[in-house]
Amino acid sequence: MWKGLTSLQDTAKAQIIKQSFILSGLSAEELAELARLAIERSFGEGEFIFWEGDTPDWFYIVAEGQVKALKHSSSGKEFIIAFFGPGEMFGEVAVFENKPYPASAQAVAETKVLGIKRENLLAFLASRPEVALRIINVLGGRLREAQGRLRDFAGERVEQRLARTLLMLSAKLGYTLPFTRQEIADMAGTTTETAIRFMSRLKDGGIIRSVRGKTIILDETKLKLLSEGPPHV
């Protein structure tokens, strides 16, 4: 469920919207217009902003915190496919296609988002084709990134995939990752047993440390080397 609204002023909303790469080039007047359309809502850790299959009524920008996009298999297993931090938008693909959200969005921690209703966003873009073009370019970049990850998964060793997954997560969330080894294995597309063996070797090599369901990266340089070739731990 969506929590109650907070008292962010339109000027503060405009600054949040301006953080978005896609919307950063808007004029002050355009940012102010979007800010008037934006509704701020808060979610506690673990709360869902929307579920896969929901009607795409809202377009979102992260104001504070972190959001993860995930899918569930028929057996209920969770697969994390992306993370979004402050200034990043999500839910836009479904909004533009007018098709159900292709994945669920869940708050990783205490999170605030700005939501703009689909019809309001499309009306805003109708007279601003240059903004719509920037959005298309960003979506194309995300597609290329996803295709690249699929190619990597097909050709890389499991150890490389795990190292790349840890680096991708740290780029979004910092060096302390709030995930268990099973969750990291799921994101890397491997078994929990394989992840446990590899991460135990990383721990022995002083590259990571594990503390109560969290993984702390201690040596990013060595982790990058592992992501580029056969492991040397």
Side-chain angles (χ1 to χ4, degrees), residues 66-199:
Q66 295 281 343
V67 173
K68 63 181 179 181
L70 54 95
K71 294 180 75 70
H72 291 92
S73 68
S74 56
S75 62
K77 192 172 185 179
E78 177 183 295
F79 295 92
I80 299 173
I81 57 177
F83 282 91
F84 304 100
E88 293 187 298
M89 64 181 189
F90 62 100
E92 73 286 347
V93 173
V95 164
F96 291 128
E97 290 185 333
N98 196 23
K99 293 181 179 179
Y101 292 117
S104 302
Q106 184 181 28
V108 175
E110 292 290 328
T111 297
K112 294 180 181 179
V113 301
L114 296 181
I116 301 175
K117 295 203 73 171
R118 178 178 183 273
E119 57 265 32
N120 292 337
L121 178 67
L122 295 182
F124 175 84
L125 292 175
S127 59
R128 297 168 179 84
E130 72 284 356
V131 179
L133 182 59
R134 284 204 297 273
I135 292 176
I136 291 171
N137 288 336
V138 169
L139 295 182
R142 287 185 182 175
L143 178 59
R144 288 191 296 274
E145 180 181 347
Q147 291 173 334
R149 288 186 65 189
L150 287 174
R151 286 195 300 270
D152 290 342
F153 270 38
E156 286 181 337
R157 297 168 60 99
V158 173
E159 292 88 348
Q160 285 179 271
R161 293 209 308 269
L162 283 162
R164 284 183 184 271
T165 298
L166 292 172
L167 288 170
M168 178 271 292
L169 293 172
S170 68
K172 288 284 188 180
L173 304 176
Y175 292 129
T176 299
L177 307 177
F179 303 108
T180 64
R181 295 182 180 188
Q182 178 179 340
E183 290 171 327
I184 291 171
D186 289 343
M187 284 182 270
T190 188
T191 64
T192 303
E193 292 75 17
T194 298
I196 289 173
R197 287 195 300 269
F198 178 64
M199 294 177 71

Side-chain angles (χ1 to χ4, degrees), residues 14-35:
Q15 287 302 311
I16 293 168
I17 295 169
K18 191 174 182 179
Q19 291 181 55
S20 169
F21 170 75
I22 290 175
L23 304 175
S24 60
L26 294 180
S27 68
E29 292 77 13
E30 290 170 329
L31 287 170
E33 183 177 343
L34 271 185

Side-chain angles (χ1 to χ4, degrees), residues 2-64:
W2 291 47
K3 292 185 178 180
L5 302 183
T6 61
S7 56
L8 261 186
Q9 299 298 312
D10 284 350
T11 51
K13 292 179 184 179
Q15 287 302 311
I16 293 168
I17 295 169
K18 191 174 182 179
Q19 291 181 55
S20 169
F21 170 75
I22 290 175
L23 304 175
S24 60
L26 294 180
S27 68
E29 292 77 13
E30 290 170 329
L31 287 170
E33 183 177 343
L34 271 185
R36 287 192 293 272
L37 297 173
I39 297 175
E40 182 203 1
R41 285 166 172 163
S42 301
F43 296 86
E45 180 178 355
E47 281 193 274
F48 280 85
I49 299 162
F50 56 74
W51 288 89
E52 179 179 353
D54 282 353
T55 302
D57 293 328
W58 295 84
F59 160 89
Y60 298 98
I61 297 175
V62 180
E64 296 178 14

